[in-house]
Amino acid sequence: MSADPVLRRDVPDATVARLPEYLRTLSRLAEHGVSSVSSEELASAVGVRSAQLRKDLSRLGSYGVRGVGYEVDTLALEISRVLGLTRDWPVAVVGMGNLGHALASYSGFATKGFRIVALFDDDPALVGEEVGGVAIRPFAELPSCASEQRIAIGVIATPAAAAQAVGEALVAAGVMSILNFAPASIAVRGDVDVRRVDLSTELQILAFHAQRRSYAGELTEAVSQ
Amino acid sequence: MSADPVLRRDVPDATVARLPEYLRTLSRLAEHGVSSVSSEELASAVGVRSAQLRKDLSRLGSYGVRGVGYEVDTLALEISRVLGLTRDWPVAVVGMGNLGHALASYSGFATKGFRIVALFDDDPALVGEEVGGVAIRPFAELPSCASEQRIAIGVIATPAAAAQAVGEALVAAGVMSILNFAPASIAVRGDVDVRRVDLSTELQILAFHAQRRSYAGELTEAVSQ
DNA sequence: CCCTGTGAAATAATTCACAGCA
DNA sequence: TGCTGTGAATTATTTCACAGGG
């Protein structure tokens, strides 16, 4: 019983990583009443080269019209389908400190497809509080909740020390996709998909480039003297 | 007046993106009293192939000992130097809602090199509050503060609607590195380095892989019947 | 014509496999 | 001998450039 016709051909990871950006830009264009774009226009709005955009989109099939461009609504719908946003993805957030609160009320979840169905935290001061209409529950209730609610994605927003245990519990509960915001990596079964987002990593990459830039600046100054 | 000897040779972006992970793992090993590791050990602790680790490290120079491995402290120090963590990077956070609070108190900043020197928000209910010993100030004070404190990195943690204006103000104030957590892209001068972290994007990538996995599962089931 | 879709070329990143040093 | 450092081979990704449809 397959619901949506799922893409058969292979889509490179690099392309998949850009699809959300394309989709967001298309939504913005649609809001502004734009109904059709060329690869040149869309690419420059996103910040990639037009050839790259065309190649990326061609992986999904032929949704453009030669001599004209792409119909905004059609393309947006198609990207949504490829990304799986026409399905429902129940999400649980574990760790309801400032970060958990921010994530649970982040407008990113307003995006079609993702629905927060459970919030967990073991702090008695937080249990019972409602965020966006969902009550915070003790973490021990994860297993029953996961099977009832068919949780597909788990978001870890705990301190570093708790991350590994939370990850294991999520996997044990059948969650196959994990988004880890904790400042620590977790090790899990190879067939579970884990993505980690880390402030420290991002800052360090920025620092590397900034350092390189200032060094280039010093060189230029030295030469011009 | 160059302080640290800066790396001359080119380091690929893909390598730079992995260095923070290597550094974190090395720190963890050091805490556990490990003083030497082979590329095999370190690679498996990080989750990459040993050949990749060796090639990455060889871009920074020769810091290993043939037949033995790498000295944990030496290697960690060298990676820190390459990433620019031996310098001081004053950071400002703009937008002190839940996300801003979480970021300002995130242990990621505890990392050597980054120091929060200013917090901004225009909400009168937040101005004056102290987070981690730094007072929240009105955003209008950014320009004077940026030059006094030599702010190098700006973190945007505002709602989507404010992101573009905040980005422009940061650039106008001389900030050359921006980390954007707002659910919207910003357009700035090409020589400014912007990295965006977006919950929605991460979820969509997870959804794509989850969908693909469940489709593969259906295929397998169908075949086995 | 104009703009998509795509082979072919160029570039980048990863993996292999082993020479060579401690 | 054991493990690093690195050329060479492989694989992935981007860019070019143009054929071909509307």
Side-chain angles (χ1 to χ4, degrees):
Chain A
M1 45 176 271
S2 70
D4 273 314
V6 176
L7 202 65
R8 243 149 258 273
R9 83 195 75 192
D10 244 31
V11 182
D13 283 350
T15 293
V16 174
R18 283 186 293 266
L19 292 180
E21 187 68 31
Y22 297 162
L23 183 55
R24 199 155 39 86
T25 303
L26 285 168
S27 302
R28 188 161 49 85
L29 290 175
E31 277 170 24
H32 288 227
V34 179
S35 64
S36 175
V37 273
S38 68
S39 65
E40 201 68 61
E41 293 165 333
L42 182 52
S44 84
V46 168
V48 300
R49 305 218 178 246
S50 64
Q52 171 140 264
L53 176 70
R54 287 200 302 280
K55 175 128 325 203
D56 281 342
L57 296 183
S58 76
R59 311 268 186 187
L60 322 182
S62 264
Y63 297 97
V65 182
R66 286 161 199 254
V68 180
Y70 300 88
E71 216 223 313
V72 172
D73 292 342
T74 309
L75 186 53
L77 182 63
E78 189 50 35
I79 294 178
S80 296
R81 220 195 306 270
V82 170
L83 286 173
L85 307 184
T86 53
R87 298 192 187 180
D88 186 57
W89 298 102
V91 176
V93 179
V94 185
M96 289 302 294
N98 282 320
L99 181 58
H101 269 82
L103 295 174
S105 46
Y106 201 61
S107 62
F109 275 112
T111 318
K112 194 177 48 176
F114 303 100
R115 191 165 45 92
I116 293 190
V117 298
L119 304 173
F120 296 103
D121 202 303
D122 275 343
D123 182 345
L126 291 173
V127 170
E129 182 191 331
E130 280 203 5
V131 180
V134 179
I136 299 176
R137 312 212 245 152
F139 189 55
E141 295 182 16
L142 170 69
S144 61
C145 186
S147 54
E148 275 168 32
Q149 308 265 21
R150 303 226 159 281
I151 292 172
I153 299 175
V155 177
I156 302 179
T158 64
Q164 178 63 38
V166 169
E168 285 169 15
L170 285 168
V171 173
V175 175
M176 296 293 285
S177 304
I178 294 176
L179 187 47
N180 180 17
F181 283 92
S185 293
I186 60 173
V188 294
R189 278 191 350 238
D191 60 338
V192 176
D193 191 16
V194 181
R195 293 183 64 85
R196 199 170 99 83
V197 175
D198 178 43
L199 174 62
S200 197
T201 299
E202 298 297 326
L203 287 173
Q204 290 177 15
I205 295 172
L206 279 174
F208 173 85
H209 289 121
Q211 171 177 245
R212 158 159 303 232
R213 207 168 32 225
S214 73
Y215 178 59
E218 278 170 30
L219 267 187
T220 310
E221 281 168 38
V223 166
S224 67
Q225 278 177 12
Chain B
M1 44 177 273
S2 71
D4 272 314
V6 176
L7 200 65
R8 243 149 256 273
R9 83 195 76 192
D10 245 32
V11 183
D13 284 350
T15 292
V16 174
R18 283 185 293 265
L19 292 181
E21 188 67 30
Y22 298 162
L23 183 56
R24 197 155 41 84
T25 303
L26 285 167
S27 303
R28 187 160 51 84
L29 291 175
E31 278 169 24
H32 289 229
V34 179
S35 64
S36 174
V37 273
S38 67
S39 64
E40 201 68 60
E41 293 165 334
L42 182 53
S44 84
V46 168
V48 300
R49 306 220 177 243
S50 65
Q52 171 140 263
L53 177 70
R54 289 200 301 278
K55 178 137 301 205
D56 281 343
L57 296 183
S58 75
R59 311 268 187 190
L60 322 182
S62 264
Y63 297 96
V65 182
R66 285 162 199 254
V68 179
Y70 300 88
E71 216 222 314
V72 172
D73 293 342
T74 310
L75 186 55
L77 182 63
E78 188 50 35
I79 294 177
S80 295
R81 220 196 306 273
V82 170
L83 286 173
L85 307 185
T86 52
R87 298 191 188 182
D88 186 57
W89 299 102
V91 177
V93 178
V94 185
M96 289 302 293
N98 282 319
L99 181 57
H101 268 81
L103 294 174
S105 46
Y106 201 61
S107 63
F109 276 111
T111 318
K112 194 178 48 178
F114 302 100
R115 190 165 47 90
I116 293 190
V117 297
L119 303 173
F120 297 103
D121 201 304
D122 276 342
D123 182 344
L126 291 173
V127 170
E129 182 192 331
E130 280 202 5
V131 180
V134 179
I136 299 176
R137 313 213 246 151
F139 189 55
E141 294 181 17
L142 170 69
S144 61
C145 184
S147 54
E148 276 168 31
Q149 309 266 20
R150 302 227 159 283
I151 292 171
I153 299 175
V155 177
I156 303 179
T158 64
Q164 178 62 38
V166 169
E168 285 169 14
L170 285 168
V171 172
V175 176
M176 295 293 286
S177 305
I178 294 176
L179 187 48
N180 180 16
F181 283 92
S185 293
I186 61 174
V188 294
R189 277 189 351 235
D191 59 339
V192 176
D193 191 15
V194 181
R195 293 183 65 84
R196 199 169 98 83
V197 175
D198 179 42
L199 173 63
S200 195
T201 299
E202 298 299 324
L203 288 173
Q204 289 176 16
I205 295 172
L206 279 175
F208 173 86
H209 289 121
Q211 170 178 244
R212 158 160 304 231
R213 205 167 32 225
S214 73
Y215 178 60
E218 278 171 30
L219 268 187
T220 310
E221 281 170 37
V223 166
S224 66
Q225 279 177 10

